[in-house]
Amino acid sequence: MDERNVIDHGILSKELLLLLALLAADKVDEVADRQSEMFADIDWKQFMRLAMHHRVYPFLYPKLSRMREGRIPSELVQWLKQEYCKNTVQMLHLSGEMGRLADKLADAGIPALFLKGPVLAQDLYGDISLRTSRDLDFIVPIGKLAEAEALLVRLGYVEEEEFETILGDWKWRQHHKTFHHPGNNIKAEVHWRLNPAPSREPDFDELWERRGTSNLLGRNIHYLGPEDLFLFLSAHGARHGWSRLRWLLDIKQLLLKQPDPGTLTRLLHRYGYDDVGGQALLLAADLLKAPIDPGLSRLAERPKARRLARLAMFYVGRMVNLHNPPLPPEVERHYRYYQPAILSWGQQLLYALGFLHPYAADAKTLPLPRRLHFLYFALRPFLWTWRKAFGEEK
């Protein structure tokens, strides 16, 4: 596979190029020996900001702490050590709570798969200290969702925000609810879908059948199997524009575990993620030197996958959080184009059809008794036009 001219490195700063080189290298001293010019005229404060923004500082610290003296400022190493230690404490804190939640869910007869957090760090990196996590995400069957929510409340968690819904649209418009524990300051996201609409994805029973099991801290904690994890991480990273290198680092670490190419390509194709999967492969291979199995090379050769990889570089080259408005005007314009571009044709059709389904805003515009809510299907075009005329959304 010829990856040249797929991704333009010219849009990246010297600091980001150096960060990428250090993340990709097995032996960072070899980077300094072969490419000493990369270390010249580096703004080390900007380098630190990039390492923090991309959430890669815990992975970076063990590498840079072993570099020969004089390669990088000692202040940088000390800062990395401090942040690395803080992250280790945080991950141990999360690990304890993850184990507690796993035990309580199992005792209640609620099957649950943890999606991220310490179990992902242990599985992909072999050490919970090498990856950051800010909350605990787990998925349950939708039929067990109410039980899982009630369990979290009994354990002291408080739901952060109740989203508005009508005619059961929450089941597909949303994909998780967020709870916060005021005592231990931990967030837990309970999912009933891996991704929000218009995605198609394996049902919970399939995910459960292919699950992995970790004995982190002596507990049996279940998580996604490697092929399902690649689908989830690719879809999540694409939706966020790969604006944090940590997500690409996860892809690289997963590829090093050699998921089955045949199973993975069939899974991505079945659910319409061929191009998103190819985008993840291209970016991870180009930016972080991730290995691509020959059985996966066709995904990275897809024209749309290459186009999506180039589009994502717009975000990689900027320190931006796409889901933390307000966005700079040029980023918002780009994202309006990028967001539908990552969808397959089938997903784009479902996305368009989703606008025909009533929104909670329709009930606010014209309140009707619940038994008459079906009328919003016919009234929606008029109610939407009314709101647009007065500058309202949806």
Side-chain angles (χ1 to χ4, degrees):
M1 179 186 64
D2 182 8
E3 293 172 9
R4 290 175 298 179
N5 302 321
V6 175
I7 294 175
D8 180 12
H9 289 215
I11 64 173
L12 306 181
S13 67
K14 289 188 65 174
E15 290 76 19
L16 184 53
L17 288 171
L18 177 60
L19 179 62
L20 289 167
L22 294 173
L23 291 173
D26 292 325
K27 298 179 180 178
V28 290
D29 273 318
E30 291 182 1
V31 175
D33 291 338
R34 293 195 312 266
Q35 299 173 285
S36 58
E37 72 282 355
M38 293 190 73
F39 290 78
D41 301 321
I42 291 293
D43 181 341
W44 292 107
K45 288 186 177 179
Q46 176 66 4
F47 182 90
M48 291 164 63
R49 286 191 287 267
L50 285 167
M52 180 64 76
H53 168 77
H54 289 290
R55 306 292 193 263
V56 293
Y57 55 89
F59 184 79
L60 201 59
Y61 169 66
K63 292 187 169 203
L64 298 193
S65 65
R66 295 191 294 267
M67 283 190 82
R68 291 194 293 272
E69 289 187 13
R71 300 288 192 185
I72 58 175
S74 58
E75 295 84 357
L76 172 61
V77 179
Q78 283 302 115
W79 173 80
L80 284 170
K81 180 180 180 180
Q82 178 182 329
E83 296 302 322
Y84 173 85
C85 292
K86 278 196 220 175
N87 183 64
T88 300
V89 172
Q90 167 71 0
M91 292 299 280
L92 287 170
H93 183 46
L94 285 173
S95 296
E97 184 65 3
M98 175 178 278
R100 183 172 84 112
L101 284 178
D103 287 345
K104 296 295 184 182
L105 288 163
D107 291 344
I110 304 172
L113 294 167
F114 283 84
L115 302 176
K116 293 183 284 187
V119 71
L120 182 63
Q122 183 66 38
D123 182 47
L124 297 187
Y125 298 82
D127 185 339
I128 62 170
S129 299
L130 298 181
R131 188 185 188 276
T132 65
S133 291
R134 67 173 188 175
D135 48 29
L136 300 173
D137 298 64
F138 61 92
I139 185 171
V140 300
I142 194 167
K144 293 284 188 178
L145 178 61
E147 293 178 49
E149 292 180 43
L151 174 63
L152 287 174
V153 171
R154 287 199 300 275
L155 293 176
Y157 284 86
V158 178
E159 188 172 352
E160 282 201 341
E161 181 181 3
E162 293 189 20
F163 39 73
E164 298 175 328
T165 181
I166 188 172
L167 294 169
D169 64 342
W170 63 271
K171 294 180 181 180
W172 50 276
R173 289 201 203 275
Q174 307 292 337
H175 65 301
H176 69 76
K177 289 186 178 181
T178 302
F179 291 77
H180 176 256
H181 196 296
N184 58 29
N185 198 30
I186 287 178
K187 284 187 180 182
E189 291 186 355
V190 55
H191 291 238
W192 57 93
R193 293 171 55 88
L194 293 177
N195 301 291
S199 68
R200 293 175 56 244
E201 58 190 44
D203 62 31
F204 184 87
D205 289 340
E206 289 181 66
L207 299 175
W208 184 257
E209 185 178 341
R210 296 190 290 262
R211 73 189 180 278
T213 302
S214 170
N215 62 352
L216 185 66
L217 297 182
R219 277 127 159 183
N220 287 330
I221 299 173
H222 305 297
Y223 59 98
L224 295 176
E227 292 78 27
D228 293 313
L229 183 58
F230 185 92
L231 184 150
F232 170 66
L233 293 177
S234 297
H236 179 270
R239 195 166 69 250
H240 292 268
W242 300 103
S243 52
R244 296 200 196 278
L245 291 175
R246 182 189 64 185
W247 300 322
L248 283 177
L249 199 56
D250 289 343
I251 294 292
K252 177 180 179 177
Q253 297 300 116
L254 178 53
L255 291 173
L256 289 171
K257 294 176 69 69
Q258 300 180 319
D260 182 71
T263 302
L264 180 54
T265 52
R266 287 191 296 272
L267 187 70
L268 294 174
H269 182 69
R270 180 180 177 186
Y271 295 105
Y273 286 105
D274 308 74
D275 294 307
V276 162
Q279 179 200 42
L281 291 171
L282 276 167
L283 290 170
D286 188 283
L287 298 177
L288 297 175
K289 310 307 177 193
I292 297 182
D293 188 283
L296 298 175
S297 61
R298 290 183 62 185
L299 289 171
E301 291 168 355
R302 294 172 65 90
K304 183 176 177 180
R306 293 178 168 233
R307 180 165 62 89
L308 293 181
R310 286 191 289 268
L311 287 173
M313 289 300 293
F314 178 88
Y315 309 111
V316 173
R318 291 167 169 78
M319 284 195 289
V320 60
N321 183 348
L322 291 173
H323 297 273
N324 187 21
L327 297 174
E330 70 278 8
V331 175
E332 187 170 357
R333 284 193 300 270
H334 191 279
Y335 192 61
R336 284 178 182 172
Y337 173 77
Y338 173 83
Q339 189 177 26
I342 64 175
L343 304 177
S344 67
W345 286 111
Q347 290 168 343
Q348 288 179 5
L349 177 61
L350 289 174
Y351 184 73
L353 291 174
F355 282 103
L356 301 179
H357 190 285
Y359 280 78
D362 296 321
K364 286 186 174 181
T365 304
L366 180 63
L368 292 174
R370 184 178 293 274
R371 68 180 183 278
L372 298 180
H373 278 188
F374 70 92
L375 293 176
Y376 288 126
F377 282 99
L379 293 170
R380 173 154 171 74
F382 305 101
L383 298 175
W384 178 84
T385 303
W386 175 271
R387 287 194 298 275
K388 291 298 285 186
F390 288 92
E392 299 180 25
E393 295 296 323
K394 299 178 179 176

